[in-house]
Amino acid sequence: FNFIALNGMEMRHPFESYVKLWEAITNRKHVGSHEKACQMLEYHFTNPKALHGEDDDHSVTIVLLDEIEYLVTEKQSVLYNFFDWPKRAASVPNGRRLVVIGISNTLNLAEQLMPSVQSRVGSERIVFKAYGVKEAAAILRAKVSKASPVYSIFDDDAILFAAKKTAAMSGDIRKAFQICRGAAELLLQRCQEAGSEALLSHPKVRISDVQKASRESFDSALVTAVSFSTPFQALLLVSLASLCRTTGREVGGFDMTDILTKMEALSGSSGDPQYSPPPTMGETIQLLNRLAEVRFIPLFSSSLCPRRLSSGVFH
């Protein structure tokens, strides 16, 4: 079978998922609109013949859609098509077969969808519980071992503490990664201050480092500021974080089109009226300038706008 993994959070817009799927199937860059990619997929899965003539390839394509709540549009056509194609493909004699598996962090997402989409998604679901202490500790040990197979940089007690802290707070393993990363950075900073001789003593991340990193993670001024942000500020920050995650950039470099498109997509997928309609261009610029003034985010404008952002680039 052909396995394809897509993540809704990584899409600039839900309709981009058509392009990503078609490119994964054909192994080549798609040139054209997302509407054209959707038409290609429609033909591919509902026609017994291949797009370019006869084809004996009747293998199964398994598509894993992670974070599908970000693929919800106003008319919910993206999710409808993705979950409708498997049924239609199965009815085609000697046609291709498609299996779609959706993963959502919203437990009642199916109940929020239109009846026509609910009927395609179906009622079968598996609810995954949050990670417990043992599971979180095992994942952290595996990650640490992979990063440093020769020398263990973490005390086992430190790993266990991070796992317990995470399990008690949310069970989100990403929080454990964040805490351990912060603890490792504290150790690195301590070694840099002590000089090269400190590295010869084979330093390790200890419980005290994890405790400090945990406090900074949960109680930092940054976390406090985010928790008290307005709905539009929160939408903007989540959009920027999503763009960073998608592009792999730790420092942005996004133009206003990228930001506005992502905000529109997240606003539509959230279904929360406080985020709709999303901010306009002018409102977004005001939000960016306000956040930059308090040094919450760094802004680097174009040469035409040397001090404040009127248009152009976010970094």
Side-chain angles (χ1 to χ4, degrees), residues 38-54:
C38 181
Q39 294 173 3
M40 296 283 205
L41 290 167
E42 176 83 12
Y43 187 94
H44 184 78
F45 289 116
T46 61
N47 196 298
K49 297 180 181 180
L51 191 61
H52 301 289
E54 299 291 340

